[in-house]
Amino acid sequence: MVVNDYLTLFLTLQAWIISNKIFYLLSSANLLVFPLVLIIFTTMTEAMQEGEDEGNKGLLSLNRSAVGLTLAVCAYLFAMIPNQKLNLGTLTYNDVRSGQCGVAITKPGENTETSWDSAFESLGGQTAKVPMWWKLMHSMSIGITNASIAAIPCSYDVTRSQLKLSEVSIQSPALQQETQQFYQQCFAQAKSTMVHNTYQNDGVTDDDFKKANWLGDDYFLSTNPNATHTTYSGIQALDPVPSFPYKESRDKSYNDIWAERLRAEPKQHAYPTCQEWWADSQYGLRNRLAGEVEKHSPEIYRDVMQPQGWFDTLFKGEKTAEQRKDMLVRRALSTENINATGRTTRGYGAVIDGAGNDRASAEIWGATAGGAGLVIGRTFLEPAFFIVREALPMFQALLLSALIIAIPMVLPLAMYNWRVVMTISIAYFGVEYFTFWWEWCRSLESKLLTAMYSGHDFNFLDPISYSAGAMNVLDSEIMRVVLLILYIVVPGLWLTIIGFAGYQVSSMSSSFNEGLNTVKGATQRGSDRLIGMINK
């Protein structure tokens, strides 16, 4: 049997030792047999209360007693008698993977090179055994819980990556200007010459146009002896390119012409061919554009360029690294590439028909004052909720321990009713499954805000996105508070949903929430006193 952490290990082992002692105490006092006698007495009484038309009361009583005793004995054998040796060990976690995913990811194997590698069998020299049913339920609960945690998406998926691709852009004004210069002097000239040669039926075909759709397309980087000025190798920059070094054999004639026109001394400006300007490994525009994407969008650049990553898998490995780099650069240069500026969530704070200036003023005031109050309130709430979140697995371990200790007393009181066995089993699984819900909340807290609000930020300089961006800032602050509260709300909702299946376990959520609220209240009072002392 494995548990999630060392506190749970200690409490579980202690709980089963106590549970075993209670079982042996009740067994030695012959109190565990008493429910079986009650079953026979109850079935006989019920049979005697039936009318004459029910047939032979003796046979009816015997059949009912046999069925009741069979079910009770099965419950006693499987869910009461501790006959399975208890060996407890803890799960180990992959810290690197957990940091990437935002949830606790377990790793296979048991060699953690610590004193916790060996399974725990005793506490203070005392060992424990577990009934077969509860060992099975524990294994199933842990297995399902950790399988569910593993199902939480680790990184953003293809959809989010495509969203991130739409945010790739060129931030450097100098590089933007140079790209515009290249577009006018190289791409536009080559494309115009292609159109002209097509009308003249001179060396350009329809297939060539299919390979000439963007600045770095295949046709422009090839050679066409029949139409030299339609490819970059046959075109030279008209204006100086500061990013390139001077090359006398290439640039001297250009500098002399400009010096003669301006009646000045010749300069040493660089006038590279468009082929060099785009494709040069050190000074070329393509590599500098790719470097700009890597600088400002490192996540998406790393994902796209990673061999056998999601992007490579999407194209079944048919795209080379250079082709993937071209796709990034092309995306960055796309005229459709603008940051999303719309609302991310659909709030109901604003009235759609804009009912007059008074209403608009009220909404602005509500958003401004409410947002400021929310930020301040969250600042003071976070310490309390931090302690609550740290206390969650402690409460979980204690609840499971209480369930284990209660088993040998509750089942005899219920006369080994399988309905009660199933209710306790569902409660055990439900509390164990809290771990998944908390990991889910943690993954949302780690990834949701980044995924939703990246590219939707508040921009003072953009009047078009000003309103939507401001509301997104407010929404993101509200979302942070909601995510804080979610850790407490979700377990209660989960137990309530289980209650819909007919198992009375939802009352556990009220006790759970009361305990957490006590911790939160104590922490909040302590924080208030500390702040008061600081202010004084």
Side-chain angles (χ1 to χ4, degrees), residues 1 7 16 32 65 68 148 161 196 213 217 277 437:
M1 292 171 63
L7 173 65
W16 279 118
L32 298 182
S65 298
S148 301
S161 295
H196 176 76
N213 293 316
D217 225 337
W277 194 357
W437 293 116

Side-chain angles (χ1 to χ4, degrees), residues 194 197-198 200-205 208 219 224-228 230:
M194 286 181 69
N197 284 25
T198 301
Q200 300 296 325
N201 295 320
D202 189 9
V204 179
T205 65
D208 293 331
Y219 177 80
N224 187 346
N226 298 321
T228 56
T230 61

Side-chain angles (χ1 to χ4, degrees), residues 99-102 153-168 296-304 310-311 314 331 340 443-456:
Q100 293 173 345
C101 298
C154 175
S155 184
Y156 47 76
D157 55 16
V158 172
T159 303
R160 185 191 164 197
S161 295
Q162 290 173 342
L163 175 64
K164 295 291 288 183
L165 274 175
S166 70
E167 298 170 10
V168 173
H296 294 286
S297 303
E299 273 188 56
I300 194 64
Y301 184 89
R302 184 170 55 250
D303 286 353
V304 171
W310 72 266
F311 201 84
L314 187 64
R331 184 67 212 180
S443 73
L444 292 179
E445 197 172 13
S446 301
K447 303 290 185 182
L448 181 63
L449 292 175
T450 303
M452 293 299 296
Y453 291 98
S454 179
H456 300 260

